[in-house]
Amino acid sequence: MPTIIPTDRNQMTFMTSLDDMVTPDHPVRLIDALIDKIIARDTEHFDHLAPQSSVGRRGYSAAALIKLYMYGYIHGISSSRKLEAEATRNIEVIWLLSGLQPSYKVIADYRRDYPDQIQRVNEQIVRFLADSGWISGERIAIDGTKLKAYTGWDMIDGDRLDAQLAKSHRQLEQWMKQLALNDCQDEVDELDGDDPDGGPPSEILQQIDKLHEKIRRLEGLKEELDRQGTTQISPADSEARLMKSARGGKYPAYNLQTAVDSAHKMIVVGAATQEATDFELLEPMVWAATGRLGREPAEVLADTGYADLGDIQRIQRQGTIRCYVPENDAPKTNRPITFDYKPETDTFECSQGRPLEPVAKGRYNKTKDVYMDHYRGTDCTECPVAGECTKAADGVRTLTVFHGAEWREQYRQQLTSRYGRERIAERKALVEHPFGTLRYWMGQLPLKLRGLKKVQTEIHLYTAGYNVKRWSGLATFKELLDQVTRWTPGKMPQAA
């Protein structure tokens, strides 16, 4: 059966230019144009690797390395060695870098040594998306996920550190004794007229050096453990924290927090934290998103893990933001007895129509660090449901109301309204999408760096890659390129 005849490998061919190898509307051209636009308006910030003298080879530009990383993270490639290979065989990368072929060490060193430049690019991409209307900033959803640190699964505690230190000191003492015996033998050989062997064996000195280095490392881990005030530490990444997995078990990890805009599910903020839970992270994430956008979002959505009512109250009172975060201790709705507050008389009325009057106001509870009011029933003795309402010996119901209860009731009504229920249901569809997409591209979001600051650099690359890839499919190539051409990068706004 006849088949298509391939081209002879020895046949000479002519290529007009490298640009002809990439189609005019290829998405890689958007990456090139966007990064060039960001860097061209801030060349001083991205000036790096320029030798101070004419001696030595010239360095690669920040633009080339950022484009390479952007392409890699969009296409599920985060390894510097794999990126090096792509620069030699992938025609899209060859075009993007204009034929440059940086080594894996240059690629890895840039990610490690210039986190501020990568952060700047990520921030400006968010600013571009906001200026172009792809990020509205009206409603953001916040959520977190655990990322396993680039280290083993084992964590070490203070007792194990002490045991390893004691063992290392014993081994060092033994090797030092062996070294002293060798020195004595050399002196005896000299007295007998024999030629000494020229000093202790190199193996002994190597073992001593290794033990000294191990002791220094263990002592450093012990100091770091004491400084952090934690009970366990990862030997390879001392800044990782032991966290629970959603599938059970614990491992050294970082808590990735994201704030996602509702318009097109773009990531406004991605932050790596050391907090094992989300409980205290709502307020920092809201103000981080405000700083990134330059204004407050109108609405914030989150799950019950963020339900710190103190944070929610401060957020709503300090600005114009409305929070839709379900309470994790919401009261049961099927209780037989309910109480309604009557502000005109400062009394409560139970569902049986019997009043409760104030008996103590503004008492301070040191354990809960709150002030409270106490109300007591005035007509409970003849109530038919008194046995269900209270277990007090006198059969009279006492109601304790914490200060702020009025706001809490208003907030509860905000959540249980039809609009509030719709927002709570919407949250999962918004914020889970980026996590699922990134895991689809990259697997389990593998981290290649260690330490909180370096991990944050990787998060900037992940979020920037996600946003650019999502943006590239929202309109035609010409429309998107025109947006880049018209856009004028500016300074990032500061949070109020």
Side-chain angles (χ1 to χ4, degrees):
M1 180 177 179
T3 59
I4 299 174
I5 301 174
T7 303
D8 187 349
R9 293 190 181 95
N10 296 316
Q11 178 179 332
M12 295 186 64
T13 59
F14 295 93
M15 182 178 68
T16 56
S17 69
L18 184 62
D19 196 61
D20 292 338
M21 301 295 290
V22 176
T23 58
D25 59 350
H26 198 286
V28 75
R29 294 181 182 270
L30 296 175
I31 299 175
D32 182 68
L34 183 57
I35 299 303
D36 281 344
K37 192 64 174 287
I38 291 172
I39 293 180
R41 295 298 299 266
D42 198 6
T43 54
E44 292 184 0
H45 188 83
F46 292 95
D47 186 20
H48 87 295
L49 297 180
Q52 300 300 317
S53 66
S54 59
V55 179
R57 183 184 179 185
R58 294 181 179 179
Y60 291 94
S61 68
L65 296 173
I66 290 173
K67 289 175 185 177
L68 179 59
Y69 269 121
M70 190 67 63
Y71 182 93
Y73 275 77
I74 286 175
H75 292 84
I77 305 170
S78 58
S79 165
S80 58
R81 291 183 183 271
K82 291 182 178 180
L83 289 173
E84 177 190 31
E86 292 297 305
T88 62
R89 68 188 180 194
N90 186 327
I91 191 63
E92 296 171 6
V93 179
I94 293 173
W95 178 90
L96 188 62
L97 303 187
S98 299
L100 295 176
Q101 297 179 1
S103 68
Y104 75 90
K105 188 175 188 307
V106 171
I107 298 170
D109 287 350
Y110 178 79
R111 179 171 54 185
R112 180 194 65 197
D113 297 336
Y114 294 92
D116 58 320
Q117 296 184 4
I118 295 173
Q119 177 181 351
R120 187 65 156 261
V121 169
N122 182 38
E123 291 174 346
Q124 290 288 8
I125 287 174
V126 173
R127 172 50 45 194
F128 163 72
L129 294 172
D131 292 344
S132 302
W134 301 113
I135 291 179
S136 68
E138 290 299 314
R139 183 183 305 134
I140 62 170
I142 297 172
D143 202 2
T145 188
K146 306 298 190 299
L147 300 183
K148 184 184 176 301
Y150 187 46
T151 180
W153 293 78
D154 191 27
M155 299 283 282
I156 190 170
D157 56 21
D159 293 339
R160 288 181 60 188
L161 277 175
D162 291 337
Q164 290 188 19
L165 275 169
K167 181 179 178 181
S168 298
H169 280 296
R170 288 195 301 270
Q171 292 174 340
L172 179 61
E173 185 178 354
Q174 292 173 359
W175 283 110
M176 293 299 289
K177 289 180 179 178
Q178 184 64 39
L179 181 63
L181 289 174
N182 280 20
D183 290 341
C184 292
Q185 185 62 45
D186 289 343
E187 293 177 1
V188 171
D189 291 341
E190 290 179 0
L191 291 175
D192 292 342
D194 298 332
D195 292 332
D197 59 2
S202 58
E203 178 187 353
I204 297 179
L205 293 178
Q206 290 176 1
Q207 292 295 331
I208 290 174
D209 288 341
K210 288 180 180 179
L211 285 168
H212 276 302
E213 179 61 30
K214 183 178 181 180
I215 290 171
R216 282 194 294 270
R217 182 175 61 84
L218 291 173
E219 288 177 344
L221 286 174
K222 188 170 178 60
E223 291 176 1
E224 182 68 15
L225 187 66
D226 294 338
R227 186 186 67 81
Q228 294 176 359
T230 55
T231 58
Q232 293 182 314
I233 194 170
S234 171
D237 187 351
S238 61
E239 295 186 35
R241 294 292 182 269
L242 191 65
M243 299 185 186
K244 289 184 179 180
S245 168
R247 299 182 179 180
K250 297 181 180 180
Y251 53 79
Y254 291 93
N255 187 351
L256 168 60
Q257 296 289 308
T258 58
V260 180
D261 183 72
S262 64
H264 296 282
K265 300 178 183 177
M266 299 286 190
I267 299 176
V268 177
V269 176
T273 73
Q274 296 171 305
E275 300 294 332
T277 65
D278 301 332
F279 187 68
E280 297 180 352
L281 296 176
L282 179 66
E283 193 172 14
M285 286 300 295
V286 169
W287 301 134
T290 300
R292 188 67 57 85
L293 294 170
R295 61 186 179 88
E296 293 181 352
E299 296 174 348
V300 172
L301 318 180
D303 61 24
T304 56
Y306 295 87
D308 184 335
L309 293 180
D311 282 358
I312 295 171
Q313 187 175 15
R314 281 192 296 273
I315 291 170
Q316 294 203 156
R317 286 182 173 176
Q318 289 178 13
T320 58
I321 304 173
R322 291 176 67 83
C323 296
Y324 294 91
V325 184
E327 298 178 75
N328 54 16
D329 59 346
K332 297 178 182 179
T333 57
N334 59 349
R335 287 177 174 171
I337 309 298
T338 59
F339 300 90
D340 294 325
Y341 181 65
K342 308 295 182 182
E344 61 277 4
T345 58
D346 188 23
T347 60
F348 278 87
E349 184 178 276
C350 73
S351 53
Q352 296 294 317
R354 300 173 185 270
L356 291 88
E357 296 182 352
V359 293
K361 302 282 287 186
R363 285 190 175 179
Y364 179 68
N365 186 307
K366 186 175 182 181
T367 304
K368 295 181 178 293
D369 190 26
V370 294
Y371 289 88
M372 60 185 69
D373 301 333
H374 296 285
Y375 293 80
R376 184 175 173 84
T378 59
D379 188 19
C380 296
T381 54
E382 302 297 330
C383 181
V385 294
E388 299 179 40
C389 182
T390 181
K391 295 182 180 180
D394 57 4
V396 178
R397 175 61 186 260
T398 299
L399 184 66
T400 300
V401 180
F402 296 99
H403 282 202
E406 182 178 356
W407 172 87
R408 184 168 179 172
E409 181 60 29
Q410 292 174 355
Y411 178 66
R412 188 174 295 142
Q413 293 175 4
Q414 176 181 315
L415 294 179
T416 55
S417 66
R418 180 177 179 181
Y419 185 83
R421 294 195 303 271
E422 290 175 351
R423 299 287 73 76
I424 292 171
E426 181 186 14
R427 178 205 64 82
K428 192 172 183 179
L430 290 178
V431 80
E432 297 293 349
H433 179 274
F435 290 146
T437 303
L438 286 171
R439 286 194 169 99
Y440 177 76
W441 294 350
M442 309 294 292
Q444 288 300 317
L445 295 180
L447 298 176
K448 297 294 183 182
L449 302 179
R450 292 168 177 159
L452 181 61
K453 185 176 181 180
K454 294 177 182 178
V455 168
Q456 181 62 62
T457 301
E458 287 199 86
I459 300 306
H460 287 316
L461 289 168
Y462 277 122
T463 56
Y466 167 85
N467 285 339
V468 170
K469 185 170 183 176
R470 187 158 182 79
W471 162 72
S472 66
L474 293 176
T476 65
F477 176 86
K478 185 178 183 304
E479 291 171 339
L480 297 177
L481 191 60
D482 287 344
Q483 286 182 349
V484 175
T485 304
R486 296 194 306 267
W487 179 57
T488 302
K491 293 183 178 180
M492 293 301 300
Q494 300 296 320

